[in-house]
Amino acid sequence: IDDTTERTETTKYVFDNHHGGGDTLGSDVMIGGDMSSDSGWTLNTGWSISDGKLRRDTTDTFNTAYRNTSGLTEGKLYKVTVDVATTNGNPLLVYLGEGHSGSITANVRGRTQTTGTNVFYLVAGANNAVYFYTGSGGTRWSGTIDNIIIQEVNGNHGVLS
């Protein structure tokens, strides 16, 4: 599987076929991924949850919305699925188990400017949260997202160079 996780960098994962082909996925560890409530979410300026969507209605500041999951394991590979209904400005940045900082662990960050279902294969960082950032410089990301699913990829897998 080719997964464009950051800018034009593509990480190529290979999965074994021991489990019947493809990626064998664990249970969804995302809590509140259906956006039915803002309970448990940290929503900074411009972020809100309404009508079953996580919304970013302004493009003037760089900030985040984040929520703890029911359990990430640092260093494990996860399939992160996010439905993006509308998008504007810079790409939406998605971090798994690690917030935005000057130095991040490889493969914890994905980005998209594409509407529809976006799939990222990300390696979990050291904490237990998923973060959504607005991008920096220029017009920050605004839009709506929904149906966040985070599942561990079980079995044997590797990264091709």
Side-chain angles (χ1 to χ4, degrees), residues 45-46 56-63 134-135 137-142:
T45 302
R56 172 82 161 113
D57 297 322
T58 181
T59 59
D60 61 349
T61 59
F62 171 75
N63 62 26
T134 60
T139 303
R140 271 78 171 183
W141 183 86
S142 66

Side-chain angles (χ1 to χ4, degrees), residues 67-105:
R67 189 174 199 319
N68 282 334
T69 68
S70 65
L72 297 174
T73 302
E74 182 178 7
K76 294 284 187 174
L77 182 66
Y78 290 83
K79 180 180 181 180
V80 179
T81 306
V82 178
D83 288 346
V84 178
T86 59
T87 185
N88 180 42
N90 283 339
L92 170 67
L93 304 176
V94 181
Y95 290 73
L96 189 63
E98 191 170 302
H100 178 78
S101 66
S103 174
I104 63 169
T105 307

Side-chain angles (χ1 to χ4, degrees), residues 88-154:
N88 180 42
N90 283 339
L92 170 67
L93 304 176
V94 181
Y95 290 73
L96 189 63
E98 191 170 302
H100 178 78
S101 66
S103 174
I104 63 169
T105 307
N107 300 324
V108 300
R109 175 175 53 191
R111 65 191 291 139
T112 186
Q113 285 181 291
T114 305
T115 58
T117 300
N118 288 264
V119 176
F120 307 97
Y121 286 85
L122 302 175
V123 176
N127 72 43
N128 200 33
V130 59
Y131 300 84
F132 297 93
Y133 281 92
T134 60
S136 59
T139 303
R140 271 78 171 183
W141 183 86
S142 66
T144 57
I145 60 179
D146 193 10
N147 300 321
I148 303 164
I149 300 169
I150 303 172
Q151 298 168 287
E152 183 178 342
V153 178
N154 295 316

Side-chain angles (χ1 to χ4, degrees), residues 4 8 11 13 33 39 57 60 63-64 66-68 76 78 103 106 125 143 156 160:
T4 302
T8 58
T11 303
Y13 293 101
S39 178
D57 297 322
D60 61 349
N63 62 26
T64 184
Y66 64 93
R67 189 174 199 319
N68 282 334
K76 294 284 187 174
Y78 290 83
S103 174
N156 299 314
L160 299 175

